Amino acid sequence: MEIENTRDADSMRGSRVGFSGSLVSGKKSARFKDDESYVEITLDVRDDSVSVQNIKGADHEAALLASRLEKRPNNTLGSQLSFHLRQVSKELKRMTSSNKFQKIDRSKSGAARALRGLQFINKNVGTEGWSEVESRFDQLAVNGMLTKSLFGQCIGMKESSEFAEELFDALARKRCITSPAVTKDELREFWEQLTDTGFDARLQTFFDMVDKDADGRITREEVKEIISLSATANKLSKIQDNSDEYAALIMEELDPGNVGYIELYNLETLLLQAPSHSMNLSTNSRVLSQMLSQKLKPTKERNPFKRCKRRLDYFIEDNWKRIWVMALWLSICAGLFTWKFIQYKRRAVFDVMGYCVSVAKGGAETTKFNMALVLLPVCRNTITWLRSRTKLGKIIPFDDNINFHKVIAFGIAVGVGLHAISHLTCDFPRLLHATDEEYKPMKPFFGDERPNNYWWFVKGTEGWTGVVMVVLMIIAYVLAQPWFRRNRLNLPSTIKKLTGFNAFWYSHHLFVIVYVLFIIHGYFLYLSKKWYKKTTWMYIAVPMILYACERLLRAFRSGYKAVKILKVAVYPGNVMAVHMSKPQGFKYTSGQYIFVNCSDVSSFQWHPFTISSAPGDDYLSMHIRTLGDWTSQLKTLFSKVCEPPAGDQSGLLRADIAKADYKPRLPKLLIDGPYGAPAQDYKKYDVVLLVGLGIGATPLISIVKDVLNNIKQQKDIEDGTKGSKRSPFATKRAYFYWVTREQGSFEWFKGVMDEVSENDQEGLIELHNYCTSVYEEGDARSALITMLQSIHQAKSGVDIVSGTRVKTHFARPNWRQVFKRVTINHPDQRIGVFYCGPQGLVGELRHLSQDFSHKTGTKFEFHKENF
């Protein structure tokens, strides 16, 4: 590049010096080739300014770049001009070098998708976007200047401050800004560049971030720095730890000639030719997809009556099992209340106590019924047997047993409230204030002498048993609420110790005392003296015997189901995997769960955990996340016998007891089960859609393994190679979506993922991992991770994020697109949707299941895991 510097003698005062010539030495540098293009720029240099007079041999982009030389006059002209010339020289050489190479064909589908990537700002661009940034600038700026440390917060990139600072440096270098702060006008320039929708502009910005010395070439050290920066922004600690290895991988891919650097066109090639995460659809599938989109478009029904009727029809169709069960329960409660209300209205006590006694006795009757019924939903062995061995599951929603238990508990609270309030605020005051004549009919029930104060009622058996029961019920009911059971409230430490799962567990077992008092209270009645009219024991006798048998069965089974610990592994994310020996005769179905007891933590507490191994495995496994006191203590006990993993083993700590020469003393575990769960119904469906969030993947992993074993088994039967002890089931296709926040979580089921990838040759099981800590595809903060992922997967077949053969997607899935794809692949079929995870996603998945079922021929049946 040659730059000519002149001064016009006629237009300047004082001494004038003019010169013309190349800024490089007479001997060409080795970096310039004989055939290299030159750009000639003529500058007019005055005492305090520089202007561009003429540009030869430059395209439009080069001309714009050169024109920046005249934008920043400064009193220190010599140093500023030298700095500007170096910057422009480097940029022009970079552009000339890049233009020598053939442009990538951007019309291909993969390239077209990549062109939408490298988004620095995900918000709305334009005036509205700038107005928000300008407002934040006014709040954050000091003396009209915004510092580099606050740049990320100002442009809406607060959570990626380090990345934002590097972006600031790149934008500042481009404009020859050396100050660590910018004005509002300079920030506006930054914003316009960041929100430029052109791919070339975004690519150049990203390249400038990596190219820290602005020489138009990226070295291995610069690649390593940007990998480390991207890994930090996306919370990928393992990639950050291996940034040197991954930098070498990128250089090997983009610098095959081993010249020691890569240029802009290399980066463009990688971006536009890298395989994308998108799901390729055939032409027919695209047509179906478009038709389906039209079908699923919401249509507004103008007639409000028709609109309400359609909603009602959909509601009944989706919830008819729950509706008839609830209708039956409410009808029985209403019938009992009405029967007792009318009965006491016809008795003599009604003349003194009035409607209050009828309400009190009606409430008491419903309480008796509900106190009997509330035990049935928690008779887990009975429900498991009914679910697995009978056809009742077609009309009874066994999946909602815990929810129904809660509804009945609310019914008990209503009944107790009606009974107690009517007695205390109405019945007893009327009795105390009755005249002698009015009291005569009451003598057979309350004695010859009329009670003279409230203490008379409280000190009697009927009184104190009722008061104690109400107190114990309130304690159990309050501590069972999610706010206390899951410690969601920010309570003082002294009070917080009285909440949590342990408090819930122990307070719920006060029911033994409550039922004893309930029987006593129901026997010593004021207004019923004949034994056959004291019906409390009649209501609760059978349910109590059934529940007692359940507990005895649990105690008996757990007595001989002490398991031998085979392996323990502690993983990132506070998760511990325990592999145990399978007790003789122990049979289960994927999706079921067991209760676990560890006497070293608590002799009384039993906690439910889903079985993560498949029925065909010769061991039992469970994955436990430490969330409360009991699980934390269990993890502490097992961690004491674990050691750091050796070689290529996964996890933070491990103990392979079965293989170790030294046998440490391990906590003793008892198990009870298995028990039925919604997920075990997967065998009824030809196609299943499995969705797990975090540790919620546990039951679904077992299903995936079982489906794989089933496919293998059917293939063996068809080939006639061997028979099987198990009869094959309906499931022929599975879609598994696992969404987790942390990269380390993928270690939990690494072995299963690799096993499915290796053995599922026909692609009947689709595994989709999503890491939500990584910014979505197209975001500049994850662009290099995406490139690196593609290269590494192509070379080694291993995903750099999960460490498995399953490719990881970034951010959260688009669930509507997931359902749409399954619908296109399986028209007019029943799809079982099984979800296990936090409550937040339940509504969306249930709504999508209903929406697609109503508007397409594919029927989605939603199941939510409950404990």
Side-chain angles (χ1 to χ4, degrees):
M1 182 187 79
E2 184 174 289
I3 299 181
E4 184 177 291
N5 187 328
T6 66
R7 294 197 181 195
D8 187 354
D10 295 332
S11 61
M12 299 185 66
R13 298 175 182 177
S15 60
R16 299 172 180 83
V17 180
F19 61 88
S20 175
S22 174
L23 293 179
V24 298
S25 62
K27 184 180 178 180
K28 287 186 178 181
S29 168
R31 293 173 61 181
F32 291 90
K33 306 294 187 295
D34 292 335
D35 59 346
E36 195 157 15
S37 301
Y38 278 80
V39 176
E40 181 179 326
I41 303 175
T42 303
L43 301 177
D44 181 11
V45 181
R46 299 177 185 271
D47 290 335
D48 60 349
S49 66
V50 178
S51 62
V52 178
Q53 294 294 314
N54 190 29
I55 302 173
K56 295 181 181 179
D59 57 15
H60 179 66
E61 186 180 357
L64 287 175
L65 178 66
S67 67
R68 289 178 185 163
L69 288 168
E70 63 181 359
K71 286 188 178 180
R72 292 185 172 274
N74 195 290
N75 293 331
T76 58
L77 178 62
S79 61
Q80 285 293 320
L81 178 60
S82 175
F83 181 75
H84 280 248
L85 293 176
R86 285 198 304 272
Q87 291 293 106
V88 173
S89 176
K90 289 174 181 178
E91 285 294 316
L92 290 172
K93 282 187 287 183
R94 188 270 308 162
M95 290 160 53
T96 305
S97 173
S98 299
N99 288 335
K100 292 190 295 183
F101 295 91
Q102 185 178 359
K103 291 287 184 180
I104 303 296
D105 181 7
R106 296 182 173 182
S107 63
K108 295 179 181 178
S109 59
R113 185 177 180 85
L115 288 171
R116 297 193 295 269
L118 278 179
Q119 299 286 345
F120 288 93
I121 303 296
N122 291 326
K123 294 186 175 183
N124 295 329
V125 299
T127 307
E128 183 182 352
W130 167 247
S131 63
E132 295 175 4
V133 175
E134 187 177 28
S135 174
R136 285 194 288 266
F137 177 91
D138 295 335
Q139 295 173 5
L140 300 172
V142 178
N143 297 326
M145 302 291 286
L146 179 75
T147 60
K148 180 170 75 172
S149 60
L150 296 174
F151 176 67
Q153 183 176 348
C154 187
I155 66 171
M157 206 181 280
K158 184 179 179 181
E159 67 280 4
S160 307
S161 57
E162 291 183 29
F163 189 91
E165 289 180 13
E166 290 294 334
L167 185 58
F168 178 96
D169 289 339
L171 295 167
R173 277 196 302 270
K174 194 80 173 176
R175 291 161 178 77
C176 308
I177 299 174
T178 56
S179 170
V182 291
T183 64
K184 184 183 290 188
D185 290 338
E186 290 168 335
L187 180 64
R188 180 65 184 263
E189 286 186 39
F190 286 11
W191 178 256
E192 287 174 354
Q193 182 173 341
L194 291 176
T195 55
D196 191 328
T197 56
F199 178 74
D200 289 318
R202 285 181 269 133
L203 178 64
Q204 184 63 57
T205 302
F206 185 77
F207 186 89
D208 292 340
M209 280 189 65
V210 188
D211 183 21
K212 293 193 173 183
D213 57 4
D215 63 351
R217 296 168 178 178
I218 301 176
T219 63
R220 173 171 168 173
E221 203 57 39
E222 288 173 327
V223 172
K224 177 182 174 182
E225 285 185 37
I226 197 66
I227 288 176
S228 181
L229 182 67
S230 298
T232 302
N234 291 282
K235 301 175 184 175
L236 301 174
S237 57
K238 292 188 177 180
I239 293 180
Q240 188 176 3
D241 295 340
N242 298 297
S243 58
D244 191 55
E245 174 191 339
Y246 292 138
L249 183 65
I250 287 182
M251 294 300 293
E252 178 187 340
E253 178 73 16
L254 299 183
D255 180 26
N258 201 26
V259 295
Y261 60 84
I262 58 177
E263 297 182 285
L264 182 65
Y265 80 94
N266 301 113
L267 196 61
E268 180 183 2
T269 302
L270 179 61
L271 270 172
L272 298 185
Q273 294 183 347
S276 69
H277 292 298
S278 61
M279 302 169 186
N280 295 322
L281 295 174
S282 64
T283 304
N284 289 337
S285 295
R286 288 195 187 95
V287 174
L288 286 172
S289 177
Q290 292 171 1
M291 292 172 61
L292 196 59
S293 297
Q294 292 297 322
K295 258 188 175 181
L296 293 169
K297 270 188 178 178
T299 55
K300 184 74 172 177
E301 174 60 59
R302 294 173 182 265
N303 189 319
F305 298 103
K306 289 184 178 180
R307 189 164 62 243
C308 291
K309 182 181 181 302
R310 184 173 63 184
R311 289 177 181 173
L312 181 62
D313 291 342
Y314 286 165
F315 179 78
I316 294 173
E317 180 184 345
D318 296 327
N319 299 281
W320 66 270
K321 291 182 184 179
R322 299 184 183 94
I323 290 171
W324 84 260
V325 170
M326 286 297 297
L328 179 62
W329 175 68
L330 289 172
S331 299
I332 293 174
C333 290
L336 290 172
F337 182 90
T338 304
W339 168 57
K340 218 62 179 174
F341 185 93
I342 294 173
Q343 185 184 81
Y344 271 81
K345 188 179 178 182
R346 294 171 179 172
R347 293 184 61 175
V349 294
F350 182 81
D351 297 331
V352 178
M353 297 183 172
Y355 285 103
C356 303
V357 70
S358 296
V359 172
K361 290 303 179 180
E365 203 68 18
T366 61
T367 301
K368 296 176 192 176
F369 170 68
N370 286 323
M371 286 290 284
L373 191 62
V374 76
L375 294 174
L376 299 183
V378 290
C379 290
R380 301 176 189 271
N381 288 293
T382 304
I383 289 178
T384 301
W385 185 85
L386 291 172
R387 178 201 295 271
S388 306
R389 303 295 179 87
T390 70
K391 303 289 186 181
L392 289 175
K394 292 183 177 180
I395 60 171
I396 298 176
F398 288 118
D399 294 353
D400 293 319
N401 63 316
I402 298 301
N403 290 330
F404 190 46
H405 175 77
K406 295 175 183 177
V407 170
I408 299 169
F410 179 75
I412 291 173
V414 172
V416 169
L418 289 173
H419 181 73
I421 292 171
S422 296
H423 274 325
L424 295 175
T425 65
C426 188
D427 284 355
F428 296 160
R430 294 186 69 164
L431 187 64
L432 291 173
H433 294 89
T435 63
D436 292 339
E437 189 65 28
E438 291 173 335
Y439 182 73
K440 282 183 182 179
M442 313 301 294
K443 288 183 179 180
F445 309 113
F446 295 97
D448 293 335
E449 294 185 10
R450 184 180 55 200
N452 54 8
N453 55 43
Y454 263 96
W455 178 246
W456 188 92
F457 297 104
V458 174
K459 70 179 180 180
T461 304
E462 304 90 333
W464 70 263
T465 54
V467 171
V468 174
M469 272 194 299
V470 169
V471 171
L472 295 180
M473 284 180 175
I474 290 173
I475 292 172
Y477 192 84
V478 169
L479 293 178
Q481 300 307 307
W483 310 291
F484 296 100
R485 183 163 56 93
R486 299 185 183 276
N487 280 325
R488 291 177 181 172
L489 296 178
N490 189 18
L491 300 170
S493 56
T494 52
I495 300 177
K496 200 165 188 176
K497 291 178 181 178
L498 302 176
T499 62
F501 187 85
N502 285 349
F504 157 76
W505 193 90
Y506 285 112
S507 65
H508 244 58
H509 282 73
L510 294 173
F511 83 94
V512 177
I513 301 173
V514 170
Y515 272 92
V516 171
L517 294 175
F518 191 59
I519 293 172
I520 295 172
H521 184 82
Y523 185 79
F524 292 92
L525 296 176
Y526 291 121
L527 302 177
S528 297
K529 300 302 181 182
K530 296 178 180 179
W531 70 270
Y532 57 86
K533 290 186 178 180
K534 300 174 180 180
T535 57
T536 301
W537 66 273
M538 300 179 188
Y539 276 100
I540 65 175
V542 173
M544 285 188 67
I545 291 171
L546 180 62
Y547 186 80
C549 291
E550 288 256 343
R551 298 305 293 258
L552 288 173
L553 179 61
R554 174 184 293 186
F556 175 73
R557 286 193 310 193
S558 62
Y560 73 87
K561 284 187 180 176
V563 292
K564 180 182 177 182
I565 308 298
L566 303 176
K567 183 170 65 176
V568 177
V570 178
Y571 292 110
N574 288 324
V575 169
M576 177 178 65
V578 181
H579 288 234
M580 308 163 285
S581 60
K582 187 187 293 186
Q584 187 175 4
F586 187 88
K587 296 180 180 179
Y588 66 96
T589 299
S590 291
Q592 292 185 325
Y593 63 96
I594 54 176
F595 276 88
V596 179
N597 170 271
C598 179
S599 57
D600 290 345
V601 178
S602 172
S603 301
F604 304 105
Q605 292 188 41
W606 291 81
H607 292 258
F609 297 101
T610 304
I611 303 170
S612 56
S613 54
D617 295 333
D618 57 359
Y619 61 88
L620 276 178
S621 69
M622 57 184 180
H623 286 67
I624 302 171
R625 185 160 199 170
T626 54
L627 292 173
D629 302 334
W630 190 89
T631 49
S632 298
Q633 292 176 47
L634 187 70
K635 179 187 173 184
T636 301
L637 288 173
F638 277 110
S639 297
K640 291 178 181 177
V641 300
C642 293
E643 297 177 351
D648 59 349
Q649 292 180 321
S650 61
L652 302 174
L653 297 169
R654 294 184 70 92
D656 291 329
I657 313 300
K659 299 178 182 178
D661 297 329
Y662 167 68
K663 304 294 183 184
R665 182 189 176 279
L666 294 167
K668 182 181 178 182
L669 294 184
L670 299 177
I671 66 170
D672 174 50
Y675 292 102
Q680 76 177 60
D681 294 331
Y682 68 96
K683 293 184 178 182
K684 299 176 182 178
Y685 302 94
D686 291 334
V687 182
V688 292
L689 173 59
L690 311 172
V691 180
L693 264 60
I695 197 63
T698 305
L700 311 179
I701 281 290
S702 178
I703 293 174
V704 167
K705 291 175 70 177
D706 199 33
V707 171
L708 179 64
N709 293 338
N710 180 61
I711 293 170
K712 287 181 186 176
Q713 175 186 321
Q714 288 187 323
K715 190 174 181 181
D716 290 339
I717 293 173
E718 290 171 4
D719 296 342
T721 54
K722 63 178 181 178
S724 175
K725 297 178 181 178
R726 300 174 64 215
S727 57
F729 48 87
T731 310
K732 306 293 189 303
R733 189 74 189 270
Y735 297 85
F736 174 60
Y737 286 80
W738 183 21
V739 184
T740 183
R741 283 194 304 250
E742 303 169 356
Q743 182 187 13
S745 304
F746 294 113
E747 292 187 29
W748 306 345
F749 306 113
K750 181 180 178 181
V752 179
M753 297 288 183
D754 288 337
E755 182 185 353
V756 173
S757 299
E758 291 170 8
N759 294 304
D760 183 25
Q761 302 297 330
E762 299 178 13
L764 300 177
I765 302 174
E766 283 193 16
L767 303 178
H768 299 272
N769 292 339
Y770 282 81
C771 186
T772 58
S773 70
V774 185
Y775 290 96
E776 63 186 345
E777 184 183 353
D779 194 298
R781 287 167 286 189
S782 62
L784 199 67
I785 302 298
T786 304
M787 294 184 239
L788 183 57
Q789 183 188 46
S790 300
I791 296 172
H792 196 271
Q793 186 105 18
K795 284 185 175 292
S796 64
V798 176
D799 180 71
I800 60 167
V801 178
S802 66
T804 69
R805 298 183 183 278
V806 180
K807 196 166 189 176
T808 303
H809 305 272
F810 302 151
R812 300 181 185 279
N814 183 329
W815 294 113
R816 178 163 284 275
Q817 290 299 321
V818 170
F819 275 78
K820 186 176 178 181
R821 182 166 178 267
V822 174
T823 302
I824 292 171
N825 292 343
H826 307 282
D828 303 319
Q829 285 188 261
R830 284 172 66 243
I831 313 293
V833 182
F834 296 89
Y835 170 71
C836 186
Q839 192 70 21
L841 190 57
V842 173
E844 183 179 358
L845 293 180
R846 178 177 282 123
H847 171 73
L848 287 171
S849 298
Q850 294 169 356
D851 196 32
F852 276 79
S853 296
H854 297 152
K855 297 179 180 179
T856 71
T858 305
K859 302 303 178 186
F860 292 87
E861 297 180 8
F862 181 74
H863 303 265
K864 160 78 169 68
E865 196 71 22
N866 293 305
F867 283 122

